[in-house]
Amino acid sequence: MPQDPVERRVVVTGPPRRTRRAFGYYRPRTEIDEQTTLGHTYVRSLMRSQLRAALAVFAVLALLVGPLPLLFAAMPDAHRLEWAVLGFCLYLPLVLLARWYVRRAERNERDFVRLVEDR
C-alpha cells in the first residue's frame, strides 16, 4: 500500500473538558446567589426603587390627608362634612394611589427579573 506524502490528521471531537467564561461575561443570578459585591448592588438597586415608590405614595398621602385636621378645626360644627370627606371623598384617591403603588412595585420587580435572567 503506497503511503501518502501528506500525513493524515485525525480530529477527535467531544464535549469540552472545562469551559472558560468569555471575557466580560457574568451571570447576575450567580452573583446574587453567591452574595458578591455586584450581587449586593443588584439587590440594593431593587430595594431603592421599591423604597422610592413607597416614599412617593407616602408623600402624596401626607399631602392629601395631612391638611384635613386643620380644615376640620377651622370649621367647627361641621360633623357631616367631616364624615362625607373621610367616607366618600378620600376613598377613590386612596384606591387609585394603592393601585398605582402595586403596579409600580410589580414593574420594578419585573425589570429586576429581566436584568437577572440568564439568556
Side-chain angles (χ1 to χ4, degrees):
M1 196 170 203
Q3 225 179 16
D4 292 332
V6 179
E7 292 184 20
R8 297 178 115 193
R9 289 190 167 194
V10 177
V11 178
V12 178
T13 60
R17 293 184 184 167
R18 59 185 134 120
T19 58
R20 287 185 172 177
R21 289 181 7 175
F23 181 72
Y25 176 75
Y26 63 94
R27 292 184 177 177
R29 184 173 289 173
T30 57
E31 298 286 341
I32 293 169
D33 290 340
E34 293 174 1
Q35 298 180 354
T36 62
T37 305
L38 183 60
H40 180 69
T41 304
Y42 281 131
V43 173
R44 191 174 38 180
S45 72
L46 172 66
M47 297 303 289
R48 281 186 182 169
S49 62
Q50 297 291 49
L51 180 65
R52 197 175 307 121
L55 289 177
V57 167
F58 180 73
V60 170
L61 185 63
L63 290 174
L64 186 66
V65 178
L68 288 179
L70 296 174
L71 176 71
F72 295 151
M75 294 186 298
D77 301 329
H79 297 291
R80 289 186 184 191
L81 176 66
E82 292 173 8
W83 283 108
V85 168
L86 291 176
F88 298 108
C89 297
L90 280 181
Y91 183 75
L92 182 62
L94 289 178
V95 168
L96 292 175
L97 195 60
R99 185 175 177 192
W100 178 85
Y101 174 73
V102 169
R103 291 180 66 166
R104 180 68 182 192
E106 288 175 351
R107 187 174 121 202
N108 289 340
E109 291 174 3
R110 192 171 44 245
D111 291 344
F112 180 75
V113 168
R114 268 194 219 127
L115 175 71
V116 173
E117 274 183 352
D118 293 333
R119 289 187 182 210

